Amino acid sequence: MWFKAVRLYQLGGDAQFDFANIENALESARFQKAGVTQKLTTGWVSPLPAGGRSAEELPIVYQQGDRMMVCLRRDEKMLPSSVVNEEVQTRIEEIEQKQDRKVYRKEKLQLKDEVTIDLLPRAFVKSRRVYAYMCRQRNLLVVNATSAALAEELISAIRDALGSFPVKLLQTKESPMVVMTSWLQGDKPYGAFTLDDECELVNPMEDSNVVRCKSQDLLAEEMAVHLQAGKQARKLALIWNDAVRMVVSADLTLSRLRFEDEVLERAADGSPDDEVAVFDQDFSVMSLELDALILQLMAAFGGQEE
């Protein structure tokens, strides 16, 4: 299970939780398939591969040392408004013709509700799984998502299950925008970070004034012109330790996360043939890399703000 993106959250002081307590709480909120008239349903499923077992046989959480992985399943029935509106219009025309009367707004809204209920059982279901792991040692929640809405949905679901789950976006003492801008101005990136070939510059006084660069020498003179005009780096592509490529955003979201072959080969050592063993080995290597990367990322921006 290799994360493609990361949103970072700091667990509150009260979150010195017992993994067993979380497991029991999420077990009681396992995913249940949507009812006939339900448009959206969420619930917890095992992050582990099935390996021939049924969903009920799989543990609801996966624990490895001081880390615990969870997975929220989100099923949404896709019912295009154009399909609903077309059916509503058909029913309106039938009523007006058969009953020789005008259909007004209140009745149209009622018809829309009826049509939605009638069509939901035949709607296409879009299923999505959001993975995250908690690191007790670092007091971190690492969510495999770039979308704030998806990450907050997962956090809310944990909070609903536990009753309390103090958590906030990870903050650093120095502004990531200011630090990343200094790297583009010639300062050497911190630690094992090196510049890649992509960035997004923005005028902090005018958010719509944006320059996006790809496959670009980020230290070239043409970039310096934008920086001299007052633009700052809102997103910056970096390589860490020649092992992980990513785009770092000002809110510390890591997108387009890519682990290099050396890391993937390390995870493949021993070539386990059991799906769970493969998952276990992949997660071990991935989480250790991410832990070290995150620790150095925090240091690059002045340390974690308490």
Side-chain angles (χ1 to χ4, degrees):
M1 175 62 229
W2 296 90
F3 284 11
K4 304 296 185 185
V6 159
R7 283 185 69 84
L8 298 169
Y9 294 85
Q10 181 180 355
L11 299 170
D14 295 335
Q16 300 297 332
F17 42 70
D18 180 359
F19 280 173
N21 182 45
I22 294 177
E23 184 171 12
N24 292 334
L26 300 192
E27 182 66 48
S28 65
R30 270 190 182 264
F31 177 82
Q32 302 291 331
K33 285 193 175 181
V36 174
T37 59
Q38 277 184 287
K39 189 171 184 181
L40 175 67
T41 183
T42 59
W44 298 99
V45 296
S46 176
L48 289 168
R53 293 176 291 176
S54 67
E56 293 73 21
E57 293 177 299
L58 295 169
I60 201 66
V61 300
Y62 168 75
Q63 185 176 346
Q64 186 183 92
D66 69 342
R67 301 176 187 85
M68 168 184 274
M69 181 180 274
V70 297
C71 180
L72 183 72
R73 177 172 169 178
R74 183 183 195 277
D75 278 15
E76 183 177 7
K77 292 181 179 177
M78 308 304 293
L79 197 55
S81 57
S82 58
V83 173
V84 174
N85 293 337
E86 185 178 344
E87 179 61 22
V88 168
Q89 187 58 38
T90 298
R91 295 190 187 188
I92 289 172
E93 291 172 0
E94 288 178 355
I95 291 172
E96 290 180 340
Q97 290 175 7
K98 291 180 180 179
Q99 300 181 21
D100 193 24
R101 65 179 179 84
K102 185 74 174 173
V103 175
Y104 292 98
R105 184 175 181 276
K106 184 177 180 180
E107 189 174 1
K108 287 180 180 178
L109 292 175
Q110 291 175 338
L111 284 171
K112 188 171 184 178
D113 288 341
E114 291 173 7
V115 167
T116 300
I117 291 172
D118 289 346
L119 293 180
L120 274 176
R122 292 176 279 162
F124 170 74
V125 178
K126 181 181 180 181
S127 186
R128 183 163 190 172
R129 299 186 183 214
V130 186
Y131 294 82
Y133 72 87
M134 303 170 211
C135 180
R136 195 155 42 189
Q137 182 183 359
R138 306 283 185 204
N139 227 27
L140 286 179
L141 172 68
V142 182
V143 184
N144 182 205
T146 54
S147 163
L150 273 180
E152 289 298 331
E153 189 169 4
L154 178 138
I155 290 168
S156 293
I158 297 175
R159 188 175 291 122
D160 289 344
L162 292 175
S164 174
F165 189 62
V167 64
K168 63 179 181 180
L169 268 175
L170 196 63
Q171 301 289 326
T172 53
K173 293 177 182 177
E174 295 182 25
S175 163
M177 283 185 71
V178 171
V179 174
M180 291 191 297
T181 301
S182 75
W183 294 347
L184 292 177
Q185 291 171 326
D187 288 351
K188 187 177 184 303
Y190 182 89
F193 288 103
T194 55
L195 297 177
D196 203 351
D197 62 356
E198 181 178 341
C199 72
E200 180 179 289
L201 305 179
V202 63
N203 183 338
M205 305 300 293
E206 189 179 347
D207 199 51
S208 60
N209 187 348
V210 179
V211 174
R212 295 181 178 88
C213 304
K214 291 187 177 182
S215 303
Q216 168 73 48
D217 177 1
L218 298 184
L219 297 178
E221 187 175 341
E222 57 194 286
M223 297 295 299
V225 172
H226 292 299
L227 298 172
Q228 289 165 6
K231 289 186 174 62
Q232 294 187 347
R234 184 163 63 184
K235 294 182 180 181
L236 183 61
L238 296 171
I239 304 168
W240 178 75
N241 205 30
D242 292 328
V244 185
R245 292 177 182 268
M246 78 217 82
V247 175
V248 180
S249 297
D251 65 355
L252 300 180
T253 297
L254 309 182
S255 58
R256 305 216 332 248
L257 201 59
R258 195 179 83 201
F259 296 86
E260 298 288 22
D261 290 345
E262 178 189 344
V263 179
L264 301 178
E265 287 167 7
R266 199 185 326 143
D269 281 353
S271 304
D273 53 9
D274 175 76
E275 283 185 289
V276 175
V278 171
F279 182 95
D280 184 80
Q281 197 156 304
D282 285 351
F283 179 67
S284 176
V285 172
M286 180 193 76
S287 59
L288 286 172
E289 289 290 328
L290 283 178
D291 280 2
L293 187 161
I294 293 166
L295 192 63
Q296 199 161 104
L297 189 69
M298 296 301 98
F301 300 136
Q304 185 174 330
E305 189 176 78
E306 299 300 330

